[in-house]
Amino acid sequence: MIKYYSSLTQVIILGFVCFCCPGMYNALNGMGAGGQVDDTTGTNANVALYTTFAVFGLLGGGVNNILGPRFTIFLGGLTFALYSGSFLYYNHTHSPAFTIAAGAILGIGAGLLWAAQGAIMMAYPTENRKGTYIGLFWVIFNLGGVLGGLIPFGLNYHSTVGNVNDGTYIGFMVIQIIGAFLGLALAPPERVIKDDGTNVVVQPTPNVLREFLEVLKLFGNKWMLILTPAFFTTNFFYTYQFNVINGTLFNVRTRGLNSVLYWAAQMVGAFAFGYFMDSKRFGRRKRGILGLTVVFVGFTAVWLGGLFLQLQFTRSTTADHTINPHNTIDFKMSSIYTGPLFLYIFYGMLDAMFQTYCYWLMGTLTNDSTQLSRYAGYYKGVQSAGGAVAWRIDAVGTSFLAQFIVNWALLTASIPLMAPVVYKIAETSGCNEEGYEPRPLPKDDSVYASDEKA
């Protein structure tokens, strides 16, 4: 029997919160242009979103340490519903101001939600189950993107042109509001019990000034600085994948189907990779080295395939409706649909593996949930700064090939730079950065048989 205060239960609840809130956002954003034919408003909204996200992602860890995860996630979750509602408004008015403002507000809320999420996901599991828990969370979370993609696919099945309909946006809003309130069901961190029967390590609640200073110290933390290029890159490619590939090449119903398959691939990639990162066959450092190698080789292979697709079209040819009227590729056109589809699936799978690896790597640095909350905030802040730059690059009309080259170059350069942190990995982490070492983990499987303790 799974107990409410067990770390597993709490991660599952968190997964369903993100299933409802960012999961639905991912489904909406994954269609390209927020489901609109003209991508200008959606792109500018994402620039505003990721700009504020970069700031409040950094501050989100501190806010979470002060307010606690329940209220931090609840407040953040409500902003996702506001953003979906802004596209419903745009469908009727074609006025972009509210949608762009809602994007900026969502950046604030997303920064809060994801900082709290990262702290829970990295601090609640025992050291030998962090990869598994991260993978489990990613499966539940991306199930939201899968089911969310089915909404526009089903509601727009008989439409091959135009924007998605009102029912799509209303459906997203309702689910996201439910998800925000579900965040209130999370238990206080100090009451959560890990799989080995110990409590989650939580430092005393700091005052606002002390917490702000602790966040600032991250800019002098050598491990965070080394990881900064990789963090910057982790969402950078979303603009290219969502707007250039899915939003440009496919009609509206096929974009919904592609979104389903993209997030489904993320579920598979995250769970399998997370399970591998907890493998007992190798020591933790060796798993770190192997994981980094798999991510690097995988990205190289997939983006090489992407180059062949990108060389077949440009921004000018897709804008010419005599050549490509209303984003014409439909899922029934198997001869031209299959190749781009599988490429898009592998893009999604590699994204999940990359982010799972980043969370796992941060989780090897400490077991202190307070510090991990700051790490998660730093990660999301830097990641969102990259997203803001990427969306702005697209907004100013940068050629598709140039966007592709920038993405591939960033991935190729940033992933190997993570190696010094991988080399630093020890078999067990201190509960804080002052050198406290927890008791050794048991070598048998008794660590998993903890339901009676919880």
Side-chain angles (χ1 to χ4, degrees):
M1 179 179 178
I2 298 177
K3 304 296 181 65
Y4 171 67
Y5 288 108
S6 73
S7 57
L8 177 61
T9 300
Q10 296 302 306
V11 170
I12 289 173
I13 293 173
L14 176 67
F16 279 107
V17 170
C18 292
F19 165 97
C20 294
C21 295
M24 293 301 116
Y25 164 80
N26 282 345
L28 177 63
N29 216 35
M31 291 186 295
Q36 303 290 314
V37 170
D38 181 4
D39 68 358
T40 304
T41 297
T43 300
N44 287 330
N46 274 295
V47 173
L49 189 163
Y50 281 101
T51 300
T52 55
F53 197 166
V55 176
F56 283 87
L58 288 170
L59 300 176
V63 173
N64 178 59
N65 287 340
I66 294 170
L67 294 182
R70 285 188 291 185
F71 291 106
T72 303
I73 288 174
F74 169 69
L75 294 173
L78 291 177
T79 63
F80 285 87
L82 177 68
Y83 182 74
S84 295
S86 73
F87 277 100
L88 177 64
Y89 174 81
Y90 182 81
N91 250 6
H92 293 272
T93 66
H94 297 288
S95 175
F98 178 45
T99 302
I100 295 171
I105 295 170
L106 174 56
I108 297 171
L112 302 181
L113 182 146
W114 281 109
Q117 173 272 341
I120 290 174
M121 195 169 64
M122 292 186 288
Y124 285 15
T126 52
E127 289 185 320
N128 58 348
R129 300 199 77 187
K130 288 193 177 187
T132 303
Y133 272 52
I134 293 169
L136 174 63
F137 164 82
W138 220 257
V139 167
I140 300 172
F141 157 50
N142 282 316
L143 184 60
V146 171
L147 297 182
L150 289 173
I151 293 174
F153 178 65
L155 293 177
N156 300 279
Y157 183 80
H158 297 292
S159 173
T160 59
V161 299
N163 308 324
V164 301
N165 58 31
D166 290 354
T168 302
Y169 297 121
I170 293 171
F172 285 146
M173 288 173 60
V174 171
I175 295 172
Q176 287 166 333
I177 291 172
I178 292 172
F181 279 92
L182 184 59
L184 297 174
L186 290 165
E190 63 273 11
R191 301 192 65 181
V192 176
I193 303 171
K194 295 187 178 186
D195 292 342
D196 60 359
T198 61
N199 289 94
V200 171
V201 178
V202 182
Q203 299 297 324
T205 302
N207 60 47
V208 176
L209 178 59
R210 172 63 187 276
E211 185 59 38
F212 179 70
L213 293 175
E214 290 296 326
V215 171
L216 287 181
K217 285 182 181 179
L218 294 175
F219 291 93
N221 183 306
K222 62 180 179 180
W223 306 121
M224 291 297 101
L225 293 177
I226 290 171
L227 293 173
T228 294
F231 291 174
F232 185 86
T233 307
T234 49
N235 271 185
F236 197 93
F237 44 73
Y238 276 3
T239 307
Y240 175 80
Q241 292 172 1
F242 296 162
N243 264 20
V244 177
I245 301 297
N246 204 26
T248 297
L249 295 180
F250 305 96
N251 62 31
V252 64
R253 67 179 182 183
T254 305
R255 285 150 65 184
L257 177 61
N258 292 347
S259 184
V260 170
L261 297 173
Y262 183 93
W263 300 115
Q266 291 228 0
M267 293 168 63
V268 175
F271 187 79
F273 196 69
Y275 184 81
F276 167 75
M277 295 308 296
D278 285 344
S279 172
K280 296 180 181 180
R281 293 181 58 191
F282 309 106
R284 195 156 71 152
R285 181 181 296 171
K286 188 168 185 179
R287 277 178 272 147
I289 295 170
L290 291 173
L292 186 66
T293 303
V294 169
V295 168
F296 181 74
V297 172
F299 269 121
T300 300
V302 171
W303 283 78
L304 179 60
L307 177 61
F308 289 99
L309 175 65
Q310 183 52 69
L311 292 175
Q312 298 176 34
F313 68 100
T314 67
R315 185 182 287 273
S316 59
T317 59
T318 54
D320 186 348
H321 284 190
T322 63
I323 301 174
N324 186 44
H326 304 295
N327 315 94
T328 53
I329 298 180
D330 186 77
F331 71 94
K332 293 184 177 181
M333 303 174 179
S334 58
S335 61
I336 59 174
Y337 175 60
T338 303
L341 168 65
F342 276 98
L343 176 66
Y344 201 62
I345 287 173
F346 283 116
Y347 275 147
M349 184 177 295
L350 264 296
D351 171 37
M353 292 168 63
F354 190 18
Q355 294 208 56
T356 297
Y357 185 79
C358 287
Y359 278 115
W360 180 88
L361 192 58
M362 285 187 288
T364 66
L365 298 176
T366 181
N367 292 320
D368 177 4
S369 67
T370 307
Q371 185 66 1
L372 285 171
S373 179
R374 299 176 188 127
Y375 284 170
Y378 183 86
Y379 170 64
K380 298 306 292 188
V382 174
Q383 179 187 72
S384 301
V389 172
W391 285 104
R392 184 58 186 164
I393 288 173
D394 186 58
V396 298
T398 304
S399 74
F400 292 161
L401 181 59
Q403 291 187 52
F404 176 91
I405 292 171
V406 169
N407 275 280
W408 196 4
L410 283 174
L411 287 165
T412 302
S414 65
I415 294 176
L417 291 177
M418 303 170 81
V421 183
V422 177
Y423 180 77
K424 185 257 183 192
I425 294 174
E427 288 306 307
T428 186
S429 304
C431 283
N432 56 50
E433 296 186 317
E434 281 68 48
Y436 170 72
E437 292 292 334
R439 63 182 174 83
L441 295 170
K443 294 182 179 180
D444 56 28
D445 290 336
S446 63
V447 68
Y448 301 107
S450 59
D451 284 340
E452 289 118 8
K453 297 177 184 178

